[in-house]
Amino acid sequence: MEDTMKRIQSTCNFCAIDCNLDFCVENGRIVRTIPTKGYPVNDGFSCIKGLSLSKQQTTVKPDALPKIRQADGTMKEVSWEEGFQHVADKLKELQAKYGTESVAGISTGQLTLEEFAIFGHVMRNYLQTNVDGNTRLCMATAAVGHKQTYGYDAPGYTLKDLELSDTIIFIGANPVVAHPIVWGRVRQNKVPGHKIIVIDPRKSETAMNADYWYGLKPRSDLKLMYTIANMLIEKDWIDHKFIEEHTNKFDEFAAFVKDFTLEKGVEATGLSAEQITELVNLIHNGKAVSFWWTMGVNQGYEAVRTAQSIINLALMTGNIGKPGTGGNSITGQCNAMASRLFSNTTCLFGGGDFTDENERARIAELTGIDVDHVAKKPTIPYNMIVEGINAGKIKGLWILCTNPRHSWTNNETFAEATKKLDLFVVQDIYDNIESAENATVYLPVVPGIKKEGTYINLERRLSALRQVLPRGENEISDYECILGVAKALGMGKAIEKWETPRMCFDMLREISKGKPCDFSGVKWDELTGSHGRQWPYPEGREAEFADEERRLYADGKFFTPNQRANFMFEEPLPNPYVPNEEFPIVFNTGRGTVGQWHTQSRTKEVKFVEDVSLSKAYLYMNTKQAEENGIREMDQIRVYSVNGQNADFFVKITDNVPYNQLFAPIHYIECNKLTPSNYDKYSKEPNYKGGICRFEKI
Ligand SMILES: Nc1nc2c(c(=O)[nH]1)N[C@H]1C(S)=C(S)[C@@H](COP(=O)(O)OP(=O)(O)OC[C@H]3O[C@@H](n4cnc5c(=O)[nH]c(N)nc54)[C@H](O)[C@@H]3O)O[C@H]1N2
Ligand SMILES: Nc1nc2c(c(=O)[nH]1)N[C@H]1C(S)=C(S)[C@@H](COP(=O)(O)OP(=O)(O)OC[C@H]3O[C@@H](n4cnc5c(=O)[nH]c(N)nc54)[C@H](O)[C@@H]3O)O[C@H]1N2
Ligand code: SF4
Ligand SMILES: [Mo]
């Protein structure tokens, strides 16, 4: 039996941890999944989602063919060649008729590095049009924040920092549910007396397991951080040497925060003076303080400045670049890091500037395309793509590996958009996703266990996705699907260097040379079955970067022109959705359980979830609020949102959600029916957690 059993190491393609797993394959079937022992990220552990990946063997339809919508409304199966040609012809036809930017794409943070790159090459370079990703819904805030503060989108930490920190502060992050391995690493922390602190309006699963919970008013984080900064400065609990040598604009920042007194902080946040003072003391007393934020920060109307206000605290206390420190953004999807740097959407491949002529020439040369076909400007953001369709300016849309009919904010606006499209290509592993309802073309591709490529996790670690299972006759990957359309478009020479993911990987290694994300020293074969590799890892200097768990900024040098980090700050904006008489309740949203993934198209991969979770939308309500309204566990309510929509939810009663707040898991389409069209002004990330509403018992 041992002889026929193969053991293949690959990467989990759910969350940004990128756990490695050993898949035991016998007769073309996965018979066992074992989290890879010794892998620096997850060392023998994983969550239920990774362990359930083998379910794709039965849930994804084998040997599926593309489908094209017919005049009578039915979908007809066609060959791959026909499918490619249809998409290519339609794209060209629409561009000829309505202009270059009349077609667009929406990509994801869940494909491989190579797949982002080829999609960005075809759509952004060759077709000269717009592609945004669901990364906009998730990491755009952190990406913009990093760029302005550090000079490059470079999160500096390594997961080991969770074990080395004596003061771990989670802000708008719920790793017990959303990043179980982050929480696992916190549990490995052996620093005597280390403290875990959670800042979240809701007593989340993480807050329940922390030493301190600060349940601030929703959307008051920016004022809290400025208040803390002011108090640290007043007490002179700051690192003058670090500030002097490694930062810009501290004096302006200090003058700016002077106005953020403790009294005002109390009023803004609803925390007591004692609580804020305690938090300031905790930060001061820590020897290695680390701040970790996720969507409670990124998804807001002043999110970029809030993220930066957290980094400011790390900078001013010298808690950066040293073991157990940092102002650290936790990434969401398995490959959001690669989509941020290599999708050719908001920067040229590798983080370059669209207006940099030298860089454009280099990209042209390396990718084999004419220089005036290299993308000339950043993409228009997601919201403008959806608005563009609804305004009749965008006629063709190609979405892949994302389900915006469900996940997009104020999602009825997306539903409306899908009806107006002449060409609507949906490329997915499941044909029954909500977004496919009005598709004119459906492209069925294989799931992660049947393809190969590269992922980059939250701590900048490249890791190998390797084909675990053989493919059926008609089965192709996202990479091959995009390549097929590229050829049908007649890209010719411009696509010759892109024949395989491996060729693409080598091209991107070359492109990355000399950049902060330089991974030219990472070889495809060496990555297979390895411990992964964090960037930077430049070719020829491998020995210098041999350490398996590395952090950036140890030398206090950043990527700005003068190598200093910028203090970034701005007067807080008025909250666009202050609870009022008509809508007295905050509509908070987020992850429900460890086993549920986003829009739940993949939940059928996790058997356990089907068994235990509700099939209908529910939300959490405070006990007192429920009592006052005569609502019992699992009664139904109708929620009316500020965006003009309403939807029905079952109620789960809890003390962990404060009075006048509701918490709706995002895994039900009703959730985003109620979220508003409102964005951070720099990152254009939706203010998903800041809506307001009222409800009535049904
Ligand atoms: N099981 C599971 N795991 C996942 C995912 C999944 O769908 N399911 N998705 C993955 C992805 S793509 C992402 S981006 C991550 C997200 O990971 P997280 O960001 O950790 O998850 P969320 O539940 O969206 O939000 C975190 C917290 O923000 C809080 N919050 C809301 N408003 C505020 C506020 O004003 N201030 C503060 N400080 N906090 C606030 C919420 O109450 C919530 O507890 O999870 C990843 N992991
Ligand atoms: N209210 C509210 N809304 C939110 C959030 C929130 O906190 N609150 N969070 C936002 C965040 S952070 C995120 S990341 C988004 C996520 O939103 P989406 O990206 O829309 O959610 P997913 O369900 O992950 O969609 C991924 C799709 O890819 C498909 N798929 C899986 N593997 C493959 C593959 O290999 N190839 C292809 N082509 N398809 C594949 C799946 O079947 C699924 O349909 O939701 C956002 N929406
Ligand atoms: S979902 Fe995240 S934590 Fe769970 S196995 Fe996959 S990578 Fe690991
Ligand atoms: Mo995300």
Side-chain angles (χ1 to χ4, degrees):
M1 189 179 129
E2 277 300 299
D3 287 337
T4 57
M5 175 103 78
K6 272 193 300 179
R7 192 163 167 149
I8 302 159
Q9 185 181 328
S10 190
T11 306
C12 171
N13 65 350
F14 279 101
C15 92
I17 303 288
D18 291 4
C19 288
N20 267 227
L21 304 161
D22 296 346
F23 294 92
C24 303
V25 180
E26 208 174 24
N27 302 323
R29 309 281 300 170
I30 299 168
V31 291
R32 233 180 124 193
T33 306
I34 306 167
T36 307
K37 285 223 176 68
Y39 193 72
V41 170
N42 62 305
D43 188 14
F45 294 93
S46 84
C47 83
I48 186 159
K49 296 189 288 304
L51 292 177
S52 306
L53 279 165
S54 60
K55 268 285 271 318
Q56 294 175 340
Q57 302 182 122
T58 48
T59 57
V60 178
K61 185 172 170 228
D63 252 333
L65 283 167
K67 289 185 272 194
I68 298 178
R69 181 89 54 197
Q70 306 299 299
D72 66 1
T74 59
M75 294 293 267
K76 182 181 159 210
E77 228 170 61
V78 298
S79 71
W80 276 107
E81 291 317 312
E82 259 179 275
F84 296 150
Q85 202 57 55
H86 176 83
V87 174
D89 291 347
K90 273 301 240 182
L91 286 169
K92 283 199 285 195
E93 179 195 315
L94 292 173
Q95 284 193 312
K97 206 159 149 195
Y98 301 107
T100 315
E101 296 189 32
S102 65
V103 299
I106 295 178
S107 177
T108 176
Q110 297 174 56
L111 289 175
T112 66
L113 164 70
E114 297 80 4
E115 288 162 350
F116 296 136
I118 192 170
F119 195 60
H121 184 59
V122 176
M123 296 289 281
R124 300 268 303 132
N125 289 343
Y126 186 72
L127 293 179
Q128 292 282 299
T129 192
N130 297 294
V131 172
D132 205 8
N134 66 1
T135 341
R136 181 75 67 179
L137 322 185
C138 180
M139 300 313 301
T141 291
V144 173
H146 287 157
K147 227 164 163 176
Q148 293 176 348
T149 298
Y150 299 144
Y152 193 81
D153 183 12
Y157 65 93
T158 189
L159 284 170
K160 182 106 193 148
D161 288 318
L162 291 160
E163 296 169 14
L164 303 175
S165 179
D166 64 12
T167 309
I168 307 166
I169 308 179
F170 290 110
I171 306 154
N174 187 15
V176 167
V177 166
H179 296 95
I181 297 298
V182 163
W183 188 249
R185 299 291 292 253
V186 171
R187 283 291 168 224
Q188 305 278 332
N189 186 312
K190 302 276 179 336
V191 181
H194 71 271
K195 298 185 174 64
I196 304 165
I197 298 157
V198 172
I199 301 175
D200 192 316
R202 186 173 70 101
K203 192 167 184 190
S204 66
E205 291 77 354
T206 307
M208 286 181 228
N209 287 287
D211 301 301
Y212 300 83
W213 168 53
Y214 297 102
L216 80 179
K217 276 191 208 162
R219 317 283 90 176
S220 66
D221 301 74
L222 184 60
K223 287 184 180 158
L224 176 64
M225 298 306 148
Y226 287 160
T227 307
I228 294 172
N230 187 28
M231 289 171 74
L232 288 167
I233 294 167
E234 277 180 349
K235 291 180 193 282
D236 201 22
W237 287 349
I238 56 176
D239 187 335
H240 291 280
K241 187 165 184 290
F242 185 88
I243 292 170
E244 179 86 5
E245 289 172 6
H246 302 296
T247 67
N248 295 318
K249 294 198 297 187
F250 176 73
D251 292 341
E252 291 96 313
F253 176 63
F256 168 80
V257 293
K258 248 189 159 27
D259 203 31
F260 293 84
T261 59
L262 179 58
E263 295 69 39
K264 286 189 191 166
V266 168
E267 204 201 311
T269 62
L271 298 172
S272 67
E274 292 69 35
Q275 280 180 302
I276 298 180
T277 308
E278 179 184 61
L279 187 50
V280 171
N281 284 322
L282 284 165
I283 294 170
H284 173 61
N285 293 333
K287 299 278 169 292
V289 183
S290 58
F291 302 85
W292 306 82
W293 84 82
T294 317
M295 293 307 127
V297 169
N298 280 357
Q299 297 170 337
Y301 65 90
E302 54 185 0
V304 169
R305 290 293 175 258
T306 306
Q308 289 167 328
S309 73
I310 297 169
I311 302 178
N312 290 345
L313 295 182
L315 290 171
M316 67 196 283
T317 56
N319 277 301
I320 201 154
K322 298 178 201 134
T325 67
N328 303 326
S329 147
I330 306 176
T331 306
Q333 304 168 86
C334 50
N335 210 8
M337 273 312 295
S339 84
R340 283 150 70 172
L341 287 172
F342 290 97
S343 60
N344 205 18
T345 54
T346 55
C347 57
L348 281 178
F349 292 132
D353 194 323
F354 293 103
T355 57
D356 178 342
E357 287 310 322
N358 291 332
E359 194 50 27
R360 295 171 52 80
R362 209 171 77 90
I363 299 273
E365 160 90 33
L366 290 170
T367 62
I369 204 163
D370 224 46
V371 74
D372 21 285
H373 263 237
V374 175
K376 298 179 182 71
K377 54 183 188 197
T379 179
I380 60 169
Y382 206 125
N383 63 308
M384 284 178 68
I385 293 179
V386 180
E387 287 158 21
I389 300 169
N390 278 323
K393 287 190 203 129
I394 296 175
K395 304 281 190 186
L397 182 69
W398 181 355
I399 67 168
L400 58 171
C401 202
T402 186
N403 188 8
R405 168 64 187 92
H406 187 310
S407 59
W408 176 239
T409 197
N410 201 358
N411 63 22
E412 291 291 326
T413 62
F414 191 87
E416 211 180 296
T418 63
K419 295 179 198 143
K420 298 191 174 147
L421 290 163
D422 287 355
L423 171 71
F424 181 27
V425 184
V426 175
Q427 179 172 323
D428 209 278
I429 58 173
Y430 297 114
D431 63 4
N432 59 351
I433 61 167
E434 290 85 355
S435 300
E437 192 185 341
N438 294 319
T440 65
V441 182
Y442 175 72
L443 303 173
V445 285
V446 294
I449 49 173
K450 288 190 178 175
K451 62 184 187 182
E452 56 180 11
T454 313
Y455 285 136
I456 309 180
N457 83 349
L458 71 178
E459 39 148 29
R460 313 176 313 284
R461 185 181 304 275
L462 283 80
S463 131
L465 181 78
R466 292 296 177 258
Q467 191 175 338
V468 174
L469 294 181
R471 292 199 203 149
E473 198 188 341
N474 293 312
E475 294 182 342
I476 70 167
S477 67
D478 288 279
Y479 193 91
E480 289 156 4
C481 184
I482 301 159
L483 183 68
V485 175
K487 288 182 177 170
L489 278 166
M491 278 180 69
K493 219 177 111 288
I495 202 73
E496 272 174 13
K497 295 188 171 184
W498 297 77
E499 204 50 45
T500 64
R502 185 193 281 251
M503 283 169 75
C504 176
F505 180 76
D506 283 335
M507 184 166 34
L508 296 174
R509 281 174 51 210
E510 199 57 37
I511 287 175
S512 77
K513 270 191 183 158
K515 300 201 159 55
C517 67
D518 191 334
F519 66 91
S520 53
V522 183
K523 314 268 161 53
W524 180 280
D525 286 325
E526 285 171 19
L527 202 59
T528 309
S530 74
H531 284 184
R533 238 347 139 184
Q534 287 172 294
W535 61 254
Y537 194 70
E539 192 163 28
R541 293 172 59 195
E542 288 84 351
E544 269 173 76
F545 294 88
D547 195 346
E548 282 196 346
E549 297 194 74
R550 283 178 286 129
R551 67 186 62 77
L552 302 176
Y553 311 131
D555 56 1
K557 294 208 169 87
F558 298 89
F559 301 109
T560 55
N562 71 2
Q563 297 192 314
R564 291 156 172 267
N566 296 317
F567 278 94
M568 296 296 301
F569 51 92
E570 187 174 327
E571 199 54 54
L573 296 169
N575 184 348
Y577 302 112
V578 182
N580 55 36
E581 221 169 289
E582 192 182 2
F583 300 110
I585 295 169
V586 172
F587 190 71
N588 184 6
T589 66
R591 274 78 198 153
T593 64
V594 174
Q596 286 172 294
W597 182 254
H598 296 157
T599 72
Q600 294 219 84
S601 67
R602 297 189 66 183
T603 298
K604 47 185 149 332
E605 294 169 19
V606 192
K607 176 84 182 80
F608 167 79
V609 172
E610 279 189 325
D611 293 346
V612 303
S613 58
L614 290 176
S615 57
K616 293 245 170 64
Y618 66 91
L619 49 66
Y620 292 94
M621 181 186 286
N622 177 272
T623 311
K624 181 169 151 232
Q625 195 129 36
E627 276 168 17
E628 277 180 12
N629 289 278
I631 291 167
R632 281 163 312 173
E633 183 82 1
M634 296 307 286
D635 277 354
Q636 241 191 335
I637 59 169
R638 183 156 300 156
V639 180
Y640 295 85
S641 164
V642 70
N643 73 348
Q645 300 284 353
N646 67 77
D648 298 347
F649 296 83
F650 288 101
V651 177
K652 289 190 176 224
I653 300 172
T654 174
D655 286 330
N656 298 327
V657 172
Y659 189 76
N660 270 351
Q661 293 180 35
L662 295 172
F663 180 74
I666 62 172
H667 314 296
Y668 304 87
I669 197 166
E670 288 84 351
C671 174
N672 278 322
K673 188 175 181 196
L674 303 188
T675 48
S677 298
N678 176 244
Y679 314 92
D680 176 84
K681 70 173 165 179
Y682 302 105
S683 68
K684 301 294 176 201
E685 180 156 341
N687 180 11
Y688 274 125
K689 298 192 183 335
I692 48 177
C693 65
R694 68 167 184 277
F695 68 84
E696 66 190 28
K697 196 178 156 185
I698 305 179

